[in-house]
Amino acid sequence: MVAGDKPEWHAKALAEIASIKQHFIEKYGWQIKVVENTDLITLYMRLQHIRHPERVHMLRLAYGPGFPEERPREGFVNPNDLEQEGLEYWIDDSEGAFKLKHNPAVICLEGTWGFHHVLHRDRDPRHASLNKLLLEIQQCFDRTP
């Protein structure tokens, strides 16, 4: 690696984020923000409930140097202040995909850190699809009352 070049994981993480289909962004009204630094790339995605547009959540996926073998760590943050995190910002689907009672809270959907590195360690994280994950998160959110 030449001085000033970014590590391989960094480029792979940005490529995965860039693969988010524009069609889905427009269809679901996703708003995306990416924050890069040396040790972490963080994807923030604003989700809006399909039937209750006033219900909004901010998903955070944090990519680190172990990517792609280590999936991004998931969480939810305050949509109005990305520095505020906590269970109160998570989608509550009664412990379906969003495991709020787990310590730490995780999302049980393929493509997240919690799925591959906590709940289903036998599942190869390198086969995960970010588009599939984001659609599943949106669908789980939309099924909440």
Side-chain angles (χ1 to χ4, degrees), residues 87-138:
L87 293 179
E88 64 268 29
Y89 303 114
W90 279 66
I91 296 169
D92 185 356
D93 68 345
S94 301
E95 294 296 305
F98 307 104
K99 308 295 186 193
L100 280 70
K101 293 179 183 173
H102 196 280
N103 188 14
V106 294
I107 300 175
C108 186
L109 293 172
E110 188 173 28
T112 63
W113 179 85
F115 182 90
H116 291 284
H117 306 289
V118 176
L119 302 172
H120 302 280
R121 292 182 179 157
D122 59 322
R123 301 283 292 273
D124 188 343
R126 294 170 294 179
H127 300 298
S129 162
L130 180 60
N131 280 292
K132 180 178 180 248
L133 169 64
L134 297 177
L135 285 173
E136 288 177 341
I137 289 172
Q138 181 71 55

Side-chain angles (χ1 to χ4, degrees), residues 6 28 31 36 45 53 60 66 68 71-73 78 97 100 114 120 131-132 141:
K6 294 181 179 173
Y28 296 107
Q31 294 176 12
E36 295 180 54
M45 191 165 85
R60 178 186 63 205
R71 294 304 302 168
R73 291 187 184 245
N78 181 339
L100 280 70
H120 302 280
N131 280 292
K132 180 178 180 248
F141 181 29

Side-chain angles (χ1 to χ4, degrees), residues 30-42:
W30 294 341
Q31 294 176 12
I32 294 171
K33 177 180 180 176
V34 178
V35 177
E36 295 180 54
N37 66 43
T38 307
D39 300 325
L40 206 62
I41 297 174
T42 306

Side-chain angles (χ1 to χ4, degrees), residues 12-93:
K12 287 181 178 181
L14 289 176
E16 179 172 275
I17 293 167
S19 77
I20 300 172
K21 296 190 182 307
Q22 188 65 34
H23 169 76
F24 298 143
I25 293 170
E26 293 170 8
K27 179 177 181 178
Y28 296 107
W30 294 341
Q31 294 176 12
I32 294 171
K33 177 180 180 176
V34 178
V35 177
E36 295 180 54
N37 66 43
T38 307
D39 300 325
L40 206 62
I41 297 174
T42 306
L43 166 65
Y44 294 96
M45 191 165 85
R46 183 181 176 275
L47 302 164
Q48 186 172 331
H49 196 283
I50 193 112
R51 293 180 316 279
H52 304 285
E54 71 282 0
R55 291 181 48 205
V56 172
H57 286 274
M58 183 69 75
L59 172 68
R60 178 186 63 205
L61 295 175
Y63 292 79
F67 183 79
E69 289 79 14
E70 183 177 297
R71 294 304 302 168
R73 291 187 184 245
E74 67 272 25
F76 286 91
V77 297
N78 181 339
N80 301 311
D81 182 351
L82 302 181
E83 298 299 317
Q84 291 183 354
E85 58 183 306
L87 293 179
E88 64 268 29
Y89 303 114
W90 279 66
I91 296 169
D92 185 356
D93 68 345

